[in-house]
Amino acid sequence: MNQEELNNKLAEIKDKLIAIEQPVDNKIWFTCEAENSYEINKFLFEEVPLRFVIATGIDSDDCFEVLYHYAYDETGCMVTLKAFIRDREKPEIESIAPFLPGAEWIEREIHDILGIDFRNHPDMRRLILSDDWPEGVYPLRKDAKKPVSWPDGEPSSRPTVDSPSRRTVPLSKPVLVVGPFHPLQEEMEFFQLTIDGEIVTDIDMRISYNHRGIEKISESLQFDQVPFLVSRICGICSASHPLAYVQAVEELAGIKPPERALYVRTIINELERIHSHVLWAGLAGHFIGYDTVFMWAWKYREPVLDLLEEITGNRNNYGNVKVGGCREDIPNELKPKILKDMDEIEKKMDMLIKAVTDDPILHARLKGVGVLSKEDAIKYAVTGPTARASGIAIDVRQDDPYAVYADLDWNVISQPEGDVFAKVVVRLLEVIEAIKIIRQAVKKIPEGPIAVEVKEIPAGEAVGCVEAPRGETFHYVRSDGGNRPVRHKVRAPSFVNVPSFKASCIGQHIADVTITLAAVDPCYSCTERLAVVDQYSNIIHDYDTLLRLSRERTAQIKKELGAPGLKMEDLQIG
Amino acid sequence: MSWKIWSLKKSPWVFHVNTGACNNCDIEIVDLLTPKFDVERFGIKLVGSPRHADALLVTGGVTAQAAPRLREVYRQTPKPCVVFAIGACACDKGIFTTGYHMVGPVDKIIKEIDPNAIIAYVPGCPPKPEAMISGIVKALAAL
């Protein structure tokens, strides 16, 4: 479907809408009343069909709004459905989670922070706020105040999984509890795996440990200060989040940054992708017992961090993008060094890719493990390498090109299998593509200024998307003409990728769970802290046990295959 | 110097607690273990349980949901132990000071249950691995 056919298709639903706006060709804004939202959402998701991105809840003066953001990846078109809930006393709207499991979490989140009820939602437990947060206090309402004191230790009336007295499964079933301090997750999730023998039969999750209330803090900062905040959403995506935000504001205000700034942005974002993917490859090696890969990968990552430090002044948290351009330029003297470092890294990566993809043990260990089918990937609306490894070749850099990606020659990597091995291959090959992009960008970067002057940000709303290492980062910004955003919604890629564990973990061996959870790259936190004892079923498993199980399985496969140990002389180390 | 403190200063084993950090301090801590910095040379080792640890490396400004868990981890750590508040957030909540879900910083939470806790601060956003090593060396020398 091209843009025109899409427009015609979307017009089929127009009787149900209050208004349709199309300020630019590939951004469409629908408005409707809350009563019609279910039907329109079903039409958009199932019949058009669009990819669900996220929903945003907003407290505007006289009503609540729920914005459903959809993307059409073939043309890079963003469709936003805005539903008004007029009843402020008892805000209610029909849940879309029954047909769209990817919306389950966001509806729980909107309920937590704004107090909007979602009718017929399958699971309305608390998600984003802490267990002891008082009921009836909704932090993102405009009149909300920070609660002075939390009731001490008194659990919320809506049960969560992470409170032993409120376990969601009968105690007769063995349960393996993972977390809350868990090495694999940025957001310190808590997993509860129900197991039958060695097989995982169900998985439940709890987040909130890392909820810092960034969206609310953002409303108290000026437009120019927000990039510093959003770069600290995730330390490994600290170039992607500010860029997505800045692109949203630039679209809102109609600002065109100078060409050179776009090149600088591209180079920094691709450097970030290299360091993130290599970091992931190392940790993935660690989880299946290949510590050599862990040490190598992290060693090869260091030159990238050094380059970033030389350009921006910091190894992470670059703080380099601003509305209208960039803060720091890439000095021309640095260009030869960047190219030389890229050659070095490419050599090492070739070696690493060969070592990983030719290894029969890794094939046996990772192929067919943690499969996320294409259908599930669409239902859970996953993005980034997680989607691309399930045969969905979406990539914001190609679908809705930003910075200078459209002018450069590179490929979107995708694999049809959906298993952990496919995810490894996608990430490693993406590193090679990133190196290719950086080389071209360094050679083509034009002379000129790196920023334009920005006067005022007018009233309005806009969205910005960036392909972060983990997937599509989505920012929605609304301005009322003042100097601060009135609403700033952030959708990090892990927010949609993590719930897909429900599809990929069930039916797996416990020994495969660590690597399956890791395969999504849910923003690693650190190494081993997953120690938990289940006092109810007398099964004691902790992180070390899981890691041991995982490694024993690798050793067993190795034995079965009769494979020789890895010999140093087989590999070119130079 | 008591023998307990003396033994704490040699080869400290550390346990890493993320209480709502952005991951930057955390990846830099892991970076300490990898070839470029390799602190295991000095006997500094990341362990999987607070019960094995001499020191806690705490990152993040402590969210409401993480605070009870941080207290529990501190209770489980054998005393005497050193708590390192790593990064601007752990030291004073950093950029997230005004967040509604933040109850930290780290020293406030730890001192609620142990007013005499030994707390060392490594500021930076994130502190460089070199800064962390230097912080650990200085703190151990001051014991």
Side-chain angles (χ1 to χ4, degrees):
Chain A
M1 253 192 315
N2 61 21
Q3 187 66 39
E4 202 174 317
E5 284 161 355
L6 178 69
N7 290 348
N8 294 339
K9 180 86 191 162
L10 291 175
E12 286 174 24
I13 197 83
K14 72 169 180 273
D15 331 331
K16 299 258 185 307
L17 301 170
I18 304 172
I20 304 176
E21 282 172 60
Q22 198 163 2
V24 274
D25 223 20
N26 62 356
K27 298 273 171 357
I28 302 174
W29 299 81
F30 285 174
T31 12
C32 74
E33 294 294 338
E35 293 76 48
N36 297 327
S37 72
Y38 180 84
E39 226 174 305
I40 303 169
N41 274 308
K42 210 169 159 87
F43 171 82
L44 293 177
F45 180 68
E46 286 183 348
E47 283 176 44
V48 178
L50 302 172
R51 177 171 60 84
F52 179 70
V53 178
I54 199 65
T56 309
I58 302 179
D59 177 8
S60 39
D61 291 335
D62 50 346
C63 62
F64 287 105
E65 294 169 28
V66 178
L67 272 59
Y68 299 91
H69 307 279
Y70 290 88
Y72 186 66
D73 293 307
E74 255 171 70
T75 58
C77 179
M78 269 286 178
V79 180
T80 303
L81 171 67
K82 196 187 285 182
F84 290 109
I85 305 174
R86 307 280 178 194
D87 185 359
R88 270 198 76 94
E89 295 303 307
K90 202 171 168 297
E92 262 193 342
I93 191 165
E94 189 73 25
S95 165
I96 58 167
F99 67 89
L100 211 172
E104 206 180 302
W105 272 26
I106 185 61
E107 294 192 335
R108 283 168 73 182
E109 184 192 301
I110 294 175
H111 179 88
D112 274 3
I113 59 177
L114 277 169
I116 295 172
D117 274 322
F118 288 87
R119 278 192 303 267
N120 302 325
H121 189 284
D123 171 19
M124 217 41 192
R125 287 170 304 162
R126 184 165 277 200
L127 181 75
I128 201 92
L129 296 175
S130 69
D131 294 338
D132 50 3
W133 184 272
E135 277 294 316
V137 178
Y138 303 113
L140 253 77
R141 288 200 180 174
K142 292 291 177 211
D143 53 359
K145 293 198 173 61
K146 186 173 171 175
V148 186
S149 65
W150 278 289
D152 193 27
E154 195 179 301
S156 119
S157 57
R158 280 183 298 136
T160 61
V161 279
D162 180 20
S163 39
S165 58
R166 291 161 189 275
R167 285 280 149 78
T168 46
V169 275
L171 298 182
S172 55
K173 279 192 197 164
V175 168
L176 172 64
V177 187
V178 180
F181 285 116
H182 182 291
L184 313 180
Q185 266 67 40
E186 145 87 340
E187 291 152 320
M188 282 182 281
E189 287 101 334
F190 174 94
F191 292 96
Q192 180 179 282
L193 309 172
T194 312
I195 46 184
D196 180 5
E198 285 258 299
I199 305 293
V200 176
T201 55
D202 199 8
I203 181 167
D204 203 348
M205 293 164 248
R206 165 84 170 130
I207 56 173
S208 165
Y209 305 96
N210 216 337
H211 178 59
R212 288 152 286 169
I214 288 175
E215 292 173 13
K216 183 82 173 178
I217 301 174
S218 178
E219 290 170 16
S220 68
L221 297 179
Q222 292 173 15
F223 282 108
D224 212 28
Q225 295 173 319
V226 176
F228 296 104
L229 176 72
V230 292
S231 76
R232 283 157 179 82
I233 289 172
C234 164
I236 317 177
C237 304
S238 52
S240 313
H241 279 292
L243 184 55
Y245 161 80
V246 159
Q247 286 179 359
V249 177
E250 282 168 358
E251 187 182 306
L252 179 64
I255 299 163
K256 280 210 85 64
E259 189 79 344
R260 190 175 172 92
L262 297 179
Y263 274 87
V264 173
R265 289 177 180 182
T266 309
I267 292 170
I268 289 182
N269 272 269
E270 290 309 308
L271 284 173
E272 178 187 79
R273 193 178 319 278
I274 297 177
H275 108 69
S276 173
H277 282 350
V278 175
L279 175 150
W280 178 84
L283 288 174
H286 175 66
F287 290 124
I288 55 166
Y290 269 93
D291 268 359
T292 318
V293 172
F294 175 41
M295 291 297 166
W296 278 354
W298 281 60
K299 187 171 136 195
Y300 305 149
R301 179 177 154 266
E302 285 297 327
V304 183
L305 294 182
D306 290 345
L307 275 182
L308 283 166
E309 189 177 358
E310 238 172 294
I311 298 167
T312 67
N314 207 352
R315 287 161 56 93
N316 319 78
N317 282 350
Y318 322 110
N320 195 37
V321 260
K322 66 171 181 179
V323 179
C326 288
R327 281 176 215 278
E328 301 288 339
D329 197 0
I330 294 180
N332 285 337
E333 312 83 84
L334 201 63
K335 282 190 198 166
K337 179 158 191 276
I338 298 178
L339 292 173
K340 198 174 133 260
D341 280 357
M342 287 301 121
D343 291 344
E344 275 302 296
I345 294 164
E346 192 175 33
K347 239 189 268 161
K348 309 282 189 202
M349 288 314 296
D350 276 343
M351 194 260 283
L352 201 64
I353 290 170
K354 251 196 230 134
V356 170
T357 51
D358 291 350
D359 191 330
I361 297 155
L362 284 182
H363 280 253
R365 185 70 181 78
L366 302 178
K367 279 205 167 160
V369 168
V371 177
L372 181 68
S373 67
K374 194 170 174 180
E375 293 72 46
D376 282 335
I378 292 171
K379 267 201 325 214
Y380 282 94
V382 296
T383 66
T386 312
R388 291 197 284 275
S390 294
I392 307 174
I394 51 170
D395 190 320
V396 188
R397 294 175 291 168
Q398 175 198 261
D399 304 331
D400 183 13
Y402 54 92
V404 288
Y405 288 108
D407 303 342
L408 305 174
D409 172 35
W410 59 282
N411 301 313
V412 175
I413 309 288
S414 74
Q415 294 276 319
E417 295 90 359
D419 53 8
V420 176
F421 194 79
K423 296 187 174 92
V424 175
V425 171
V426 166
R427 289 209 174 82
L428 289 177
L429 294 182
E430 271 180 17
V431 173
I432 301 294
E433 292 302 314
I435 294 172
K436 231 163 93 183
I437 295 173
I438 294 172
R439 275 207 194 109
Q440 297 172 48
V442 168
K443 284 178 188 153
K444 283 171 82 172
I445 187 166
E447 292 298 325
I450 54 159
V452 290
E453 202 186 330
V454 177
K455 293 234 163 62
E456 294 217 348
I457 311 291
E461 53 195 342
V463 296
C465 291
V466 160
E467 186 72 20
R470 279 158 198 76
E472 178 198 47
T473 295
F474 170 93
H475 282 239
Y476 163 86
V477 181
R478 178 184 284 189
S479 156
D480 63 354
N483 60 356
R484 286 151 219 263
V486 287
R487 181 76 171 97
H488 178 192
K489 168 75 195 161
V490 180
R491 203 287 317 265
S494 293
F495 195 85
V496 284
N497 289 345
V498 167
S500 73
F501 293 155
K502 248 197 148 76
S504 59
C505 278
I506 293 174
Q508 296 289 311
H509 281 266
I510 304 175
D512 291 336
V513 164
T514 22
I515 189 66
T516 308
L517 297 183
V520 160
D521 191 5
C523 277
Y524 289 109
S525 207
C526 137
T527 51
E528 39 269 63
R529 278 167 305 106
L530 195 139
V532 171
V533 180
D534 190 301
Q535 64 254 54
Y536 300 98
S537 56
N538 293 326
I539 290 183
I540 300 177
H541 275 304
D542 55 19
Y543 179 68
D544 291 339
T545 322
L546 276 185
L547 200 63
R548 185 173 51 77
L549 281 172
S550 175
R551 288 176 173 177
E552 276 172 10
R553 204 167 141 78
T554 311
Q556 189 198 337
I557 289 170
K558 215 165 167 176
K559 219 162 114 195
E560 281 167 17
L561 288 174
L566 196 65
K567 285 203 213 91
M568 289 309 271
E569 57 265 30
D570 294 344
L571 303 155
Q572 313 147 349
I573 303 167
Chain B
M1 190 195 317
S2 81
W3 66 272
K4 277 183 176 173
I5 295 284
W6 173 79
S7 61
L8 184 65
K9 292 171 75 163
K10 302 287 175 188
S11 302
W13 283 14
V14 296
F15 179 73
H16 171 211
V17 193
N18 178 333
T19 61
C22 71
N23 236 11
N24 255 338
C25 300
D26 311 281
I27 57 172
E28 295 291 50
I29 287 172
V30 179
D31 216 32
L32 289 177
L33 305 173
T34 55
K36 190 167 178 190
F37 301 98
D38 195 12
V39 290
E40 286 188 5
R41 285 177 295 163
F42 311 122
I44 301 175
K45 192 172 173 246
L46 210 57
V47 291
S49 162
R51 296 186 197 280
H52 300 161
D54 301 308
L56 297 178
L57 301 182
V58 189
T59 58
V62 192
T63 61
Q65 180 79 348
R69 280 108 193 139
L70 172 61
R71 287 189 205 109
E72 191 53 40
V73 167
Y74 182 76
R75 278 196 204 101
Q76 291 180 1
T77 315
K79 311 290 176 310
C81 69
V82 188
V83 177
F84 286 94
I86 304 265
C89 298
C91 293
D92 73 337
K93 294 198 270 183
I95 199 163
F96 305 114
T97 309
T98 53
Y100 55 82
H101 209 240
M102 308 298 288
V103 297
V106 171
D107 53 359
K108 184 182 142 211
I109 302 291
I110 300 277
K111 286 199 166 142
E112 276 171 21
I113 55 167
D114 180 6
N116 301 318
I118 310 169
I119 300 178
Y121 303 86
V122 182
C125 189
K128 293 205 164 65
E130 294 93 329
M132 292 186 195
I133 298 173
S134 150
I136 291 175
V137 170
K138 278 185 190 157
L140 293 181
L143 280 181

